Amino acid sequence: MSDFSDLTVGLSGLEAQQTAMDTVGQNVANASTPGYVDEEVQLGSVGAVQHMGFDDSASPLPGDGVEVEGIERLSNQYLQQQSYTEQANQGTLTAQQAGLQSVQGNFPEPSTTGISSQLTQFWQDWSTLANNPSDEATRATLVQDAGSLTSSLNQTSTALTTLSQQTVQSMTSTLGQVNQDAAQIASLNEQMLGTSANSSSGDSLADQRDQLISQLSTQLGVNVTYNADGTANVYSGSEALVSGANSQTLSLSTSGPPYSLVWSQDHTSFQPSSGTLAGDLSVVNQYVPGYQQNLDQVAQSLMGSVNNLVSTGYDLNGNQGTPFFLGTGASDIAVNPAVAADPSLIAAASAPVASGSSATNEDGTIAADIGELPNSQTVTLDVPSGGWSAGASASSWSGATTTTGTEADTAYNELVTGIGQATSTVNNSLTNQQTVTTNVNSALQSATGVNTDQEMTNMVMYQNAYDASAKFISTVDDVLQTLVTMVNS
Amino acid sequence: MSDVSRVTQQSATILMVADLQSGLSQLTQLQEEAATGKQINQPSDNPAGTSEVLSLNAQLGRFQQYTSNISDGQSWLGTAGTALGSVITNLNQVQTDVLSGANATAAATGSNQALSQDVLTIKGELLSLASSTYNNRPIFSGTYGTSPYPQGTASGVSDPTSSSYDADVAYAYAGSSTAVSRVVSPGQSVNVSITGQQVFGSGSSSVFALLDTISQDLANGNTSSLSGSDLSQLKTAINTATQAQGTVGALGASLATDASAVSDHVAAMQDQVSTLTDASEDQVAAQLDLEETSYQAALETTAKIIQPSLVQFLS
């Protein structure tokens, strides 16, 4: 031990405290950087070096100062994975909520303008026609109101189709983002292989990578495993999206519904269980097609039940009724153009006037019966194979099968209630999920984030230690000065 | 550093922002209720309530239709009742004429001529009553839109003195035998008319043919017929008309009962819809007040918590 080595000890103290303060600076500077993980300097004392040929036992040596053993990244892989999982769950629900709210937006109920009140008006028009079967204006009103009803059904059906297409488009762009993130994660993994663990550059690469995985997890539920070399593998389902420095891409199946994701490596298809992609897939595969089908049932019930009664009736000209509605479902239901052009073809009467009589037929039995249809929950439907095509005449009923089905108002009510129920459930689940995600993310932040109070305390501590080391050096300097002066004098 | 009680500025921020957001979203929901005055603004606000409101509204529409069907029916019956009243008055006049004609002496032939003419006038009166219309529809033609006893050259000769007179052709009933009906409550339809055939008969057995016969008998001084078959047939005709008037009155009374039942039902349903959909203003205002206060409190607290840090105290 020499006085000169005391200077080295002092210097090691200065350097170590300097590094520690630099770390505090880095932490404070990144206190609000997303994904930044708090770093802590690991200081270790340096033992005394045994000097060859000297007997050190007589005077014990205090050691050779301090060294920075490393800068530890305070990551928490358990909370990190939990955060990925919950973010993915929230992503699923967020996408489902967005989809369902768009669906619900197309069913403005209860209101005085929605399909439900249009249906009510439609039935009322038939009943009014029964009171005044030969009145041109009443017939024209019925045709007009029926036209608004069918065009509302057409529009709603189109809106659902459009919603499905938009969701598919949004999934395609989400997949672009996912693939880009995966490639970037692989490239960060690759860069990390070239840096040593516990170096600050390695830590910042890990921060960036974890932040990307976190971003990815909202869109696609992932499981992350860490390799000994510091790199991470990202799995979704049974396949690895990122494996070390390699990544593969996901794409959307070209046809659907049902749509699915397709892996680029083995071309297998895959239904993710969580993330916005999973939510969007459930919207295009289940919700929208389901509601579309229910809306078709409303239109088919309307066509089948009205046409069924009309087939037994007679128009103002004494001819057997022609179909009132034509079409196959909600997308193409329309008032028979022939009837729309000549409302006297509406079959309101149950029998023609006696042969030889020139009287107008004021019988409205069929119209009254049609007006009473919504009183029953199930009604008799005529279902021709291939729907009610243009040019269908009385004779084409012979090919129709007669069955019973849910009445249109009831079917529509069930549809709207179903949408409301699903939306309300997703809304509630999302509210709960948001609390869970917030808590997990907050817990993760608590464990790995920067606490500025703590950093300030550390800074004061390191500053004091730095001051002390400096004081030590100046004291050793004084001692050496004294010695040199003594020798010179 | 796995200290669970460790809190960082960012973790505190995450929780505070989430709390503020949930407060704000509750506030927005209440504001929507207050602005629209409706509890249910979209199906998801209350799916079960929406279902109930939709079916109630549909029922309301139908019952409002029943109300208008009933009032239409009442007008039909009212017109028929008035017409039948006049028919009875006229037939009673004929009865007076027949009785005075039957008791007249041969010297009174001149006055019998006047009575005969009077009966023909009354026949014309009855024909025009039979063609009474409501809303441009003949009320005694059943479901046919035509005059029940069309008069004119095409419909045969109705002058009993003419050689080509044929009561079967002149007074043939041209309406239908089906009465007009109105749907007045679910699945229940009620007749709101009575056919001309029921009131006036048809052809040679019609009341018009009878009046022609009476008119002829008066003119010819055929007192035995007058006091015999004419008088008894006339009494039967008056009886028929009176019975028809009774039927019409009873139908009208039953419609009035239906009308009050339907309007009670409509009121009850409207009440229920209002309970389900309308937001209680007082309640919403109070809740809004509460939410606003607690939201502001949360904001203030956040502002206080977020500020202090050791940094402020290090010089």
Side-chain angles (χ1 to χ4, degrees):
Chain A
M1 190 70 205
S2 69
D3 285 335
F4 295 108
S5 72
D6 284 344
L7 280 177
T8 324
V9 170
L11 183 62
S12 81
L14 284 182
E15 281 170 354
Q17 305 311 329
Q18 183 70 56
T19 309
M21 279 196 285
D22 286 351
T23 309
V24 168
Q26 170 80 355
N27 282 340
V28 171
N30 286 297
S32 50
T33 306
Y36 179 78
V37 173
D38 196 14
E39 289 177 352
E40 201 177 49
V41 169
Q42 303 291 311
L43 298 177
S45 61
V46 179
V49 178
Q50 294 293 316
H51 295 280
M52 291 294 281
F54 290 89
D55 179 12
D56 292 331
S57 58
S59 56
L61 295 174
D64 280 350
V66 63
E67 68 170 0
V68 176
E69 291 176 338
I71 298 172
E72 195 193 351
R73 197 167 161 261
L74 296 174
S75 63
N76 184 324
Q77 287 172 2
Y78 169 70
L79 283 173
Q80 190 78 59
Q81 178 60 50
Q82 246 193 322
S83 166
Y84 298 152
T85 307
E86 298 306 344
Q87 286 185 165
N89 288 340
Q90 184 167 336
T92 315
L93 290 166
T94 307
Q96 286 178 341
Q97 188 195 43
L100 282 170
Q101 280 186 339
S102 301
V103 170
Q104 186 173 255
N106 290 305
F107 294 87
E109 304 286 0
S111 75
T112 50
T113 51
I115 288 177
S116 129
S117 57
Q118 286 180 321
L119 274 168
T120 306
Q121 185 59 51
F122 173 71
W123 302 123
Q124 278 186 328
D125 286 348
W126 279 102
S127 204
T128 306
L129 178 63
N131 293 351
N132 225 344
S134 69
D135 187 50
E136 287 295 321
T138 309
R139 284 173 179 259
T141 308
L142 168 60
V143 165
Q144 204 168 13
D145 288 345
S148 334
L149 172 60
T150 54
S151 66
S152 289
L153 286 166
N154 300 157
Q155 281 165 11
T156 309
S157 175
T158 311
L160 288 179
T161 310
T162 310
L163 173 64
S164 203
Q165 287 164 348
Q166 283 168 343
T167 311
V168 166
Q169 272 174 11
S170 121
M171 275 194 285
T172 312
S173 83
T174 307
L175 279 170
Q177 184 68 46
V178 164
N179 291 335
Q180 202 182 327
D181 286 351
Q184 223 173 326
I185 291 166
S187 126
L188 286 166
N189 272 341
E190 194 175 14
Q191 291 174 46
M192 285 174 75
L193 289 174
T195 61
S196 57
N198 285 348
S199 74
S200 71
S201 63
D203 284 352
S204 103
L205 289 173
D207 283 351
Q208 279 181 48
R209 181 198 62 201
D210 290 353
Q211 176 64 11
L212 276 171
I213 298 175
S214 174
Q215 190 179 313
L216 179 69
S217 71
T218 307
Q219 290 148 350
L220 185 68
V222 290
N223 273 309
V224 181
T225 59
Y226 297 90
N227 303 319
D229 55 12
T231 60
N233 295 349
V234 180
Y235 294 90
S236 188
S238 56
E239 290 208 33
L241 184 62
V242 178
S243 177
N246 301 313
S247 68
Q248 61 171 322
T249 60
L250 278 167
S251 57
L252 194 64
S253 62
T254 45
S255 64
Y259 289 94
S260 58
L261 303 185
V262 180
W263 290 109
S264 62
Q265 269 171 10
D266 55 10
H267 306 290
T268 54
S269 60
F270 157 61
Q271 292 284 345
S273 58
S274 58
T276 51
L277 285 169
D280 283 342
L281 281 169
S282 71
V283 169
V284 295
N285 288 344
Q286 286 143 38
Y287 290 123
V288 172
Y291 297 140
Q292 190 85 261
Q293 201 184 340
N294 292 348
L295 194 65
D296 281 341
Q297 281 166 357
V298 172
Q300 283 155 0
S301 166
L302 202 56
M303 289 187 280
S305 60
V306 171
N307 288 353
N308 166 264
L309 282 173
V310 157
S311 73
T312 61
Y314 291 85
D315 64 19
L316 273 185
N317 312 322
N319 299 320
Q320 235 195 316
T322 44
F324 185 81
F325 285 120
L326 295 183
T328 55
S331 61
D332 61 356
I333 183 175
V335 177
N336 187 346
V339 173
D342 179 8
S344 72
L345 295 181
I346 298 171
S350 60
V353 291
S355 66
S357 168
S358 61
T360 34
N361 200 343
E362 295 283 2
D363 176 26
T365 312
I366 294 296
D369 287 349
I370 292 175
E372 287 292 280
L373 278 174
N375 280 325
S376 326
Q377 300 227 319
T378 49
V379 287
T380 308
L381 307 178
D382 273 355
V383 186
S385 58
W388 297 95
S389 56
S393 62
S395 61
S396 67
W397 266 297
S398 56
T401 34
T402 303
T403 159
T404 51
T406 311
E407 193 274 324
D409 293 64
T410 309
Y412 182 73
N413 189 335
E414 282 167 6
L415 165 61
V416 170
T417 310
I419 293 169
Q421 194 70 62
T423 313
S424 157
T425 306
V426 166
N427 283 349
N428 291 339
S429 307
L430 182 58
T431 308
N432 294 340
Q433 182 60 48
Q434 276 166 341
T435 310
V436 173
T437 313
T438 303
N439 287 342
V440 166
N441 278 342
S442 173
L444 178 64
Q445 253 303 313
S446 291
T448 66
V450 176
N451 179 331
T452 49
D453 291 343
Q454 188 185 10
E455 297 302 329
M456 288 301 104
T457 314
N458 286 347
M459 188 180 76
V460 172
M461 183 175 81
Y462 295 139
Q463 193 186 355
N464 286 339
Y466 185 90
D467 287 352
S469 292
K471 183 75 186 163
F472 174 69
I473 288 172
S474 99
T475 308
V476 172
D477 182 37
D478 284 351
V479 169
L480 284 174
Q481 283 292 331
T482 311
L483 190 63
V484 170
T485 316
M486 271 170 64
V487 171
N488 282 351
S489 61
Chain B
M1 194 49 89
S2 59
D3 187 0
V4 281
S5 65
R6 184 176 193 260
V7 173
T8 66
Q9 270 69 17
Q10 265 201 73
S11 74
T13 310
I14 290 173
L15 288 177
M16 281 186 289
V17 169
D19 282 349
L20 286 179
Q21 258 171 2
S22 103
L24 193 59
S25 104
Q26 271 169 346
L27 203 56
T28 315
Q29 167 83 23
L30 278 171
Q31 273 164 347
E32 190 184 19
E33 271 189 34
T36 60
K38 298 276 172 217
Q39 282 180 48
I40 305 179
N41 289 299
Q42 51 241 342
S44 61
D45 289 344
N46 179 356
T50 304
S51 165
E52 215 173 322
V53 169
L54 288 187
S55 76
L56 278 171
N57 276 340
Q59 266 192 58
L60 261 177
R62 286 201 298 283
F63 273 77
Q64 274 155 0
Q65 183 62 40
Y66 295 143
T67 310
S68 85
N69 291 356
I70 287 172
S71 93
D72 183 64
Q74 282 175 322
S75 301
W76 274 74
L77 289 170
T79 312
T82 313
L84 287 170
S86 303
V87 167
I88 292 164
T89 313
N90 279 307
L91 288 177
N92 281 332
Q93 177 60 40
V94 174
Q95 192 176 17
T96 314
D97 291 350
V98 168
L99 287 176
S100 63
N103 296 331
T105 57
T109 313
S111 83
N112 275 10
Q113 286 298 336
L115 288 175
S116 162
Q117 204 51 53
D118 186 38
V119 170
L120 281 187
T121 311
I122 289 176
K123 181 196 76 174
E125 190 79 13
L126 289 188
L127 279 170
S128 108
L129 282 170
S131 314
S132 299
T133 59
Y134 167 69
N135 198 12
N136 289 328
R137 276 186 60 187
I139 56 169
F140 291 114
S141 297
T143 57
Y144 283 9
T146 179
S147 178
Y149 302 99
Q151 297 297 302
T153 46
S155 312
V157 179
S158 61
D159 177 8
T161 58
S162 162
S163 58
S164 54
Y165 172 76
D166 181 354
D168 276 332
V169 176
Y171 306 123
Y173 175 60
S176 82
S177 55
T178 317
V180 172
S181 61
R182 291 289 173 261
V183 182
V184 296
S185 59
Q188 194 202 348
S189 101
V190 165
N191 284 349
V192 297
S193 83
I194 192 157
T195 61
Q197 191 154 25
Q198 284 175 282
V199 183
F200 305 105
S202 181
S204 52
S205 63
S206 71
V207 70
F208 313 110
L210 173 65
L211 293 196
D212 281 344
T213 310
I214 289 172
S215 162
Q216 288 299 89
D217 287 344
L218 281 169
N220 300 334
N222 196 346
T223 50
S224 63
S225 290
L226 283 173
S227 57
S229 62
D230 286 355
L231 190 60
S232 74
Q233 282 180 34
L234 186 60
K235 283 189 169 158
T236 310
I238 293 176
N239 213 14
T240 307
T242 312
Q243 272 176 8
Q245 196 186 29
T247 309
V248 165
L251 287 171
S254 117
L255 276 191
T257 316
D258 289 332
S260 84
V262 165
S263 82
D264 284 355
H265 206 66
V266 165
M269 284 192 290
Q270 278 170 337
D271 222 40
Q272 214 174 336
V273 168
S274 158
T275 312
L276 282 166
T277 58
D278 294 350
S280 152
E281 272 181 40
D282 297 348
Q283 208 181 328
V284 170
Q287 277 183 342
L288 199 56
D289 214 39
L290 199 70
E291 280 296 336
E292 268 168 359
T293 314
S294 65
Y295 181 61
Q296 265 167 13
L299 279 178
E300 275 173 36
T301 318
T302 307
K304 276 190 183 136
I305 293 174
I306 221 158
Q307 271 176 353
S309 146
L310 193 56
V311 183
Q312 270 89 23
F313 302 96
L314 292 174
S315 53

